[in-house]
Amino acid sequence: MPQDMPPVGGYGPVQYKRNLPAPGFRPTTLLLGMGAIMVFGFYKLGQGIREQKEYAREKMWSRIHLIPLLQAEEDRDLVRRHLADQAREKELVGENTKVYNSDRYVRPTFAVTPGNVTK
């Protein structure tokens, strides 16, 4: 009996690999997406820092413009205290005595002291 031989020219190729698409995104797509997200994040971060600087500048200028008002309020308070102190002194002593050798106004220093001091 004759032996079976391959056909002339051989058999066709045998497909042993699977043709399945790769799961997920390609690495380049993933890298581009992550890069775009990071660029957007840094953009928003820069905007936030710029806004914080603008708020700090606005706060500084508002304080600078309020200084004369606060100084005037403090001066009115000092005048009120000075006049009350002179009235109290006149009531106790009977006349206003000069504490200093000159007529120059000396800004008083008020220090808070505790009421009950125990040794």
Side-chain angles (χ1 to χ4, degrees), residues 81-103:
R81 285 180 185 226
H82 181 67
L83 293 177
D85 192 31
Q86 281 184 342
R88 194 177 316 113
E89 182 180 338
K90 192 168 192 171
E91 182 183 320
L92 292 174
V93 178
E95 63 182 47
N96 286 336
T97 58
K98 287 190 176 180
V99 182
Y100 303 104
N101 293 330
S102 70
D103 290 333

PDB file of all heavy atoms in Angstrom, residues 81-103:
ATOM      1  N   ARG A  81      -8.936 110.294  76.573  1.00  0.00           N
ATOM      2  CA  ARG A  81      -8.292 109.808  77.811  1.00  0.00           C
ATOM      3  C   ARG A  81      -7.507 110.922  78.499  1.00  0.00           C
ATOM      4  O   ARG A  81      -7.517 111.025  79.720  1.00  0.00           O
ATOM      5  CB  ARG A  81      -7.338 108.650  77.477  1.00  0.00           C
ATOM      6  CG  ARG A  81      -8.028 107.356  77.182  1.00  0.00           C
ATOM      7  CD  ARG A  81      -6.989 106.298  76.862  1.00  0.00           C
ATOM      8  NE  ARG A  81      -7.606 105.070  76.452  1.00  0.00           N
ATOM      9  CZ  ARG A  81      -7.240 103.876  76.905  1.00  0.00           C
ATOM     10  NH1 ARG A  81      -6.265 103.770  77.772  1.00  0.00           N
ATOM     11  NH2 ARG A  81      -7.842 102.797  76.487  1.00  0.00           N
ATOM     12  N   HIS A  82      -6.829 111.736  77.695  1.00  0.00           N
ATOM     13  CA  HIS A  82      -6.021 112.824  78.255  1.00  0.00           C
ATOM     14  C   HIS A  82      -6.903 113.844  78.974  1.00  0.00           C
ATOM     15  O   HIS A  82      -6.597 114.271  80.095  1.00  0.00           O
ATOM     16  CB  HIS A  82      -5.215 113.499  77.144  1.00  0.00           C
ATOM     17  CG  HIS A  82      -4.338 114.610  77.609  1.00  0.00           C
ATOM     18  ND1 HIS A  82      -3.248 114.414  78.419  1.00  0.00           N
ATOM     19  CD2 HIS A  82      -4.413 115.947  77.393  1.00  0.00           C
ATOM     20  CE1 HIS A  82      -2.677 115.574  78.687  1.00  0.00           C
ATOM     21  NE2 HIS A  82      -3.371 116.530  78.065  1.00  0.00           N
ATOM     22  N   LEU A  83      -8.022 114.225  78.351  1.00  0.00           N
ATOM     23  CA  LEU A  83      -8.931 115.178  78.968  1.00  0.00           C
ATOM     24  C   LEU A  83      -9.580 114.592  80.220  1.00  0.00           C
ATOM     25  O   LEU A  83      -9.756 115.295  81.231  1.00  0.00           O
ATOM     26  CB  LEU A  83      -9.985 115.632  77.966  1.00  0.00           C
ATOM     27  CG  LEU A  83      -9.463 116.457  76.791  1.00  0.00           C
ATOM     28  CD1 LEU A  83     -10.584 116.777  75.823  1.00  0.00           C
ATOM     29  CD2 LEU A  83      -8.768 117.712  77.277  1.00  0.00           C
ATOM     30  N   ALA A  84      -9.927 113.314  80.189  1.00  0.00           N
ATOM     31  CA  ALA A  84     -10.503 112.665  81.370  1.00  0.00           C
ATOM     32  C   ALA A  84      -9.470 112.597  82.490  1.00  0.00           C
ATOM     33  O   ALA A  84      -9.797 112.800  83.672  1.00  0.00           O
ATOM     34  CB  ALA A  84     -10.996 111.265  81.005  1.00  0.00           C
ATOM     35  N   ASP A  85      -8.219 112.338  82.130  1.00  0.00           N
ATOM     36  CA  ASP A  85      -7.150 112.289  83.129  1.00  0.00           C
ATOM     37  C   ASP A  85      -6.923 113.657  83.751  1.00  0.00           C
ATOM     38  O   ASP A  85      -6.742 113.783  84.970  1.00  0.00           O
ATOM     39  CB  ASP A  85      -5.869 111.777  82.466  1.00  0.00           C
ATOM     40  CG  ASP A  85      -4.803 111.412  83.485  1.00  0.00           C
ATOM     41  OD1 ASP A  85      -5.170 110.994  84.596  1.00  0.00           O
ATOM     42  OD2 ASP A  85      -3.609 111.545  83.151  1.00  0.00           O
ATOM     43  N   GLN A  86      -6.961 114.716  82.948  1.00  0.00           N
ATOM     44  CA  GLN A  86      -6.800 116.070  83.475  1.00  0.00           C
ATOM     45  C   GLN A  86      -7.968 116.443  84.383  1.00  0.00           C
ATOM     46  O   GLN A  86      -7.778 117.047  85.450  1.00  0.00           O
ATOM     47  CB  GLN A  86      -6.678 117.085  82.337  1.00  0.00           C
ATOM     48  CG  GLN A  86      -5.315 117.130  81.717  1.00  0.00           C
ATOM     49  CD  GLN A  86      -5.212 118.219  80.673  1.00  0.00           C
ATOM     50  OE1 GLN A  86      -6.217 118.714  80.179  1.00  0.00           O
ATOM     51  NE2 GLN A  86      -3.980 118.602  80.350  1.00  0.00           N
ATOM     52  N   ALA A  87      -9.187 116.069  83.995  1.00  0.00           N
ATOM     53  CA  ALA A  87     -10.351 116.361  84.838  1.00  0.00           C
ATOM     54  C   ALA A  87     -10.262 115.607  86.157  1.00  0.00           C
ATOM     55  O   ALA A  87     -10.566 116.166  87.232  1.00  0.00           O
ATOM     56  CB  ALA A  87     -11.628 115.996  84.090  1.00  0.00           C
ATOM     57  N   ARG A  88      -9.834 114.340  86.116  1.00  0.00           N
ATOM     58  CA  ARG A  88      -9.673 113.547  87.336  1.00  0.00           C
ATOM     59  C   ARG A  88      -8.602 114.157  88.232  1.00  0.00           C
ATOM     60  O   ARG A  88      -8.762 114.255  89.455  1.00  0.00           O
ATOM     61  CB  ARG A  88      -9.309 112.110  86.958  1.00  0.00           C
ATOM     62  CG  ARG A  88      -9.449 111.131  88.087  1.00  0.00           C
ATOM     63  CD  ARG A  88      -9.154 109.698  87.673  1.00  0.00           C
ATOM     64  NE  ARG A  88      -9.753 109.310  86.401  1.00  0.00           N
ATOM     65  CZ  ARG A  88      -9.064 109.034  85.291  1.00  0.00           C
ATOM     66  NH1 ARG A  88      -7.747 109.114  85.300  1.00  0.00           N
ATOM     67  NH2 ARG A  88      -9.666 108.692  84.186  1.00  0.00           N
ATOM     68  N   GLU A  89      -7.501 114.605  87.626  1.00  0.00           N
ATOM     69  CA  GLU A  89      -6.408 115.222  88.386  1.00  0.00           C
ATOM     70  C   GLU A  89      -6.866 116.534  89.015  1.00  0.00           C
ATOM     71  O   GLU A  89      -6.556 116.824  90.177  1.00  0.00           O
ATOM     72  CB  GLU A  89      -5.226 115.472  87.449  1.00  0.00           C
ATOM     73  CG  GLU A  89      -4.017 116.069  88.124  1.00  0.00           C
ATOM     74  CD  GLU A  89      -2.882 116.301  87.143  1.00  0.00           C
ATOM     75  OE1 GLU A  89      -2.852 115.645  86.086  1.00  0.00           O
ATOM     76  OE2 GLU A  89      -2.027 117.149  87.451  1.00  0.00           O
ATOM     77  N   LYS A  90      -7.641 117.341  88.282  1.00  0.00           N
ATOM     78  CA  LYS A  90      -8.135 118.612  88.805  1.00  0.00           C
ATOM     79  C   LYS A  90      -9.095 118.374  89.960  1.00  0.00           C
ATOM     80  O   LYS A  90      -9.123 119.124  90.945  1.00  0.00           O
ATOM     81  CB  LYS A  90      -8.820 119.405  87.700  1.00  0.00           C
ATOM     82  CG  LYS A  90      -9.102 120.829  88.061  1.00  0.00           C
ATOM     83  CD  LYS A  90      -9.504 121.603  86.841  1.00  0.00           C
ATOM     84  CE  LYS A  90      -9.486 123.085  87.170  1.00  0.00           C
ATOM     85  NZ  LYS A  90      -9.658 123.908  85.997  1.00  0.00           N
ATOM     86  N   GLU A  91      -9.877 117.289  89.858  1.00  0.00           N
ATOM     87  CA  GLU A  91     -10.822 116.956  90.925  1.00  0.00           C
ATOM     88  C   GLU A  91     -10.079 116.509  92.183  1.00  0.00           C
ATOM     89  O   GLU A  91     -10.458 116.866  93.298  1.00  0.00           O
ATOM     90  CB  GLU A  91     -11.762 115.857  90.433  1.00  0.00           C
ATOM     91  CG  GLU A  91     -12.828 115.439  91.423  1.00  0.00           C
ATOM     92  CD  GLU A  91     -13.667 114.291  90.876  1.00  0.00           C
ATOM     93  OE1 GLU A  91     -13.985 114.304  89.681  1.00  0.00           O
ATOM     94  OE2 GLU A  91     -13.973 113.378  91.672  1.00  0.00           O
ATOM     95  N   LEU A  92      -9.004 115.743  92.012  1.00  0.00           N
ATOM     96  CA  LEU A  92      -8.270 115.220  93.176  1.00  0.00           C
ATOM     97  C   LEU A  92      -7.320 116.258  93.766  1.00  0.00           C
ATOM     98  O   LEU A  92      -7.277 116.449  94.986  1.00  0.00           O
ATOM     99  CB  LEU A  92      -7.479 113.969  92.774  1.00  0.00           C
ATOM    100  CG  LEU A  92      -8.297 112.726  92.419  1.00  0.00           C
ATOM    101  CD1 LEU A  92      -7.391 111.633  91.907  1.00  0.00           C
ATOM    102  CD2 LEU A  92      -9.067 112.252  93.630  1.00  0.00           C
ATOM    103  N   VAL A  93      -6.529 116.923  92.900  1.00  0.00           N
ATOM    104  CA  VAL A  93      -5.479 117.821  93.376  1.00  0.00           C
ATOM    105  C   VAL A  93      -5.993 119.255  93.479  1.00  0.00           C
ATOM    106  O   VAL A  93      -5.577 120.002  94.354  1.00  0.00           O
ATOM    107  CB  VAL A  93      -4.243 117.726  92.447  1.00  0.00           C
ATOM    108  CG1 VAL A  93      -3.144 118.677  92.886  1.00  0.00           C
ATOM    109  CG2 VAL A  93      -3.729 116.311  92.406  1.00  0.00           C
ATOM    110  N   GLY A  94      -6.864 119.646  92.611  1.00  0.00           N
ATOM    111  CA  GLY A  94      -7.367 120.999  92.620  1.00  0.00           C
ATOM    112  C   GLY A  94      -6.798 121.844  91.512  1.00  0.00           C
ATOM    113  O   GLY A  94      -7.328 122.897  91.192  1.00  0.00           O
ATOM    114  N   GLU A  95      -5.734 121.437  90.916  1.00  0.00           N
ATOM    115  CA  GLU A  95      -5.138 122.170  89.797  1.00  0.00           C
ATOM    116  C   GLU A  95      -4.372 121.200  88.913  1.00  0.00           C
ATOM    117  O   GLU A  95      -4.019 120.107  89.341  1.00  0.00           O
ATOM    118  CB  GLU A  95      -4.191 123.251  90.307  1.00  0.00           C
ATOM    119  CG  GLU A  95      -3.004 122.691  91.090  1.00  0.00           C
ATOM    120  CD  GLU A  95      -2.102 123.781  91.632  1.00  0.00           C
ATOM    121  OE1 GLU A  95      -2.618 124.735  92.214  1.00  0.00           O
ATOM    122  OE2 GLU A  95      -0.888 123.642  91.448  1.00  0.00           O
ATOM    123  N   ASN A  96      -4.108 121.603  87.692  1.00  0.00           N
ATOM    124  CA  ASN A  96      -3.347 120.763  86.772  1.00  0.00           C
ATOM    125  C   ASN A  96      -1.865 121.040  86.969  1.00  0.00           C
ATOM    126  O   ASN A  96      -1.410 122.166  86.819  1.00  0.00           O
ATOM    127  CB  ASN A  96      -3.735 121.058  85.319  1.00  0.00           C
ATOM    128  CG  ASN A  96      -5.094 120.479  84.992  1.00  0.00           C
ATOM    129  OD1 ASN A  96      -5.534 119.546  85.630  1.00  0.00           O
ATOM    130  ND2 ASN A  96      -5.749 121.050  83.992  1.00  0.00           N
ATOM    131  N   THR A  97      -1.128 120.028  87.335  1.00  0.00           N
ATOM    132  CA  THR A  97       0.312 120.190  87.536  1.00  0.00           C
ATOM    133  C   THR A  97       1.030 119.707  86.297  1.00  0.00           C
ATOM    134  O   THR A  97       0.577 118.777  85.614  1.00  0.00           O
ATOM    135  CB  THR A  97       0.787 119.377  88.757  1.00  0.00           C
ATOM    136  OG1 THR A  97       0.462 118.013  88.543  1.00  0.00           O
ATOM    137  CG2 THR A  97       0.130 119.879  90.025  1.00  0.00           C
ATOM    138  N   LYS A  98       2.167 120.332  86.017  1.00  0.00           N
ATOM    139  CA  LYS A  98       2.978 119.915  84.879  1.00  0.00           C
ATOM    140  C   LYS A  98       3.862 118.760  85.312  1.00  0.00           C
ATOM    141  O   LYS A  98       4.567 118.835  86.315  1.00  0.00           O
ATOM    142  CB  LYS A  98       3.827 121.080  84.378  1.00  0.00           C
ATOM    143  CG  LYS A  98       3.040 122.127  83.659  1.00  0.00           C
ATOM    144  CD  LYS A  98       3.975 123.101  82.994  1.00  0.00           C
ATOM    145  CE  LYS A  98       3.171 124.094  82.192  1.00  0.00           C
ATOM    146  NZ  LYS A  98       4.040 125.058  81.540  1.00  0.00           N
ATOM    147  N   VAL A  99       3.819 117.723  84.546  1.00  0.00           N
ATOM    148  CA  VAL A  99       4.637 116.555  84.853  1.00  0.00           C
ATOM    149  C   VAL A  99       6.003 116.683  84.205  1.00  0.00           C
ATOM    150  O   VAL A  99       7.010 116.255  84.761  1.00  0.00           O
ATOM    151  CB  VAL A  99       3.927 115.275  84.370  1.00  0.00           C
ATOM    152  CG1 VAL A  99       4.741 114.046  84.720  1.00  0.00           C
ATOM    153  CG2 VAL A  99       2.546 115.178  84.973  1.00  0.00           C
ATOM    154  N   TYR A 100       6.036 117.320  83.043  1.00  0.00           N
ATOM    155  CA  TYR A 100       7.278 117.438  82.297  1.00  0.00           C
ATOM    156  C   TYR A 100       7.780 118.875  82.362  1.00  0.00           C
ATOM    157  O   TYR A 100       7.057 119.803  82.719  1.00  0.00           O
ATOM    158  CB  TYR A 100       7.062 117.032  80.832  1.00  0.00           C
ATOM    159  CG  TYR A 100       6.519 115.614  80.696  1.00  0.00           C
ATOM    160  CD1 TYR A 100       5.189 115.388  80.393  1.00  0.00           C
ATOM    161  CD2 TYR A 100       7.341 114.525  80.905  1.00  0.00           C
ATOM    162  CE1 TYR A 100       4.685 114.107  80.293  1.00  0.00           C
ATOM    163  CE2 TYR A 100       6.854 113.240  80.804  1.00  0.00           C
ATOM    164  CZ  TYR A 100       5.532 113.045  80.500  1.00  0.00           C
ATOM    165  OH  TYR A 100       5.041 111.785  80.406  1.00  0.00           O
ATOM    166  N   ASN A 101       9.039 119.076  81.992  1.00  0.00           N
ATOM    167  CA  ASN A 101       9.639 120.401  82.037  1.00  0.00           C
ATOM    168  C   ASN A 101       9.286 121.256  80.826  1.00  0.00           C
ATOM    169  O   ASN A 101       9.559 122.441  80.820  1.00  0.00           O
ATOM    170  CB  ASN A 101      11.169 120.300  82.142  1.00  0.00           C
ATOM    171  CG  ASN A 101      11.593 119.717  83.481  1.00  0.00           C
ATOM    172  OD1 ASN A 101      10.902 119.908  84.475  1.00  0.00           O
ATOM    173  ND2 ASN A 101      12.706 119.014  83.504  1.00  0.00           N
ATOM    174  N   SER A 102       8.711 120.666  79.811  1.00  0.00           N
ATOM    175  CA  SER A 102       8.370 121.424  78.608  1.00  0.00           C
ATOM    176  C   SER A 102       6.876 121.298  78.342  1.00  0.00           C
ATOM    177  O   SER A 102       6.175 120.478  78.934  1.00  0.00           O
ATOM    178  CB  SER A 102       9.175 120.917  77.417  1.00  0.00           C
ATOM    179  OG  SER A 102       8.731 119.631  77.060  1.00  0.00           O
ATOM    180  N   ASP A 103       6.394 122.113  77.429  1.00  0.00           N
ATOM    181  CA  ASP A 103       4.982 122.059  77.061  1.00  0.00           C
ATOM    182  C   ASP A 103       4.733 121.111  75.895  1.00  0.00           C
ATOM    183  O   ASP A 103       3.614 121.020  75.388  1.00  0.00           O
ATOM    184  CB  ASP A 103       4.498 123.472  76.669  1.00  0.00           C
ATOM    185  CG  ASP A 103       4.424 124.378  77.880  1.00  0.00           C
ATOM    186  OD1 ASP A 103       4.241 123.848  78.993  1.00  0.00           O
ATOM    187  OD2 ASP A 103       4.552 125.600  77.703  1.00  0.00           O
TER     188      ASP A 103
END
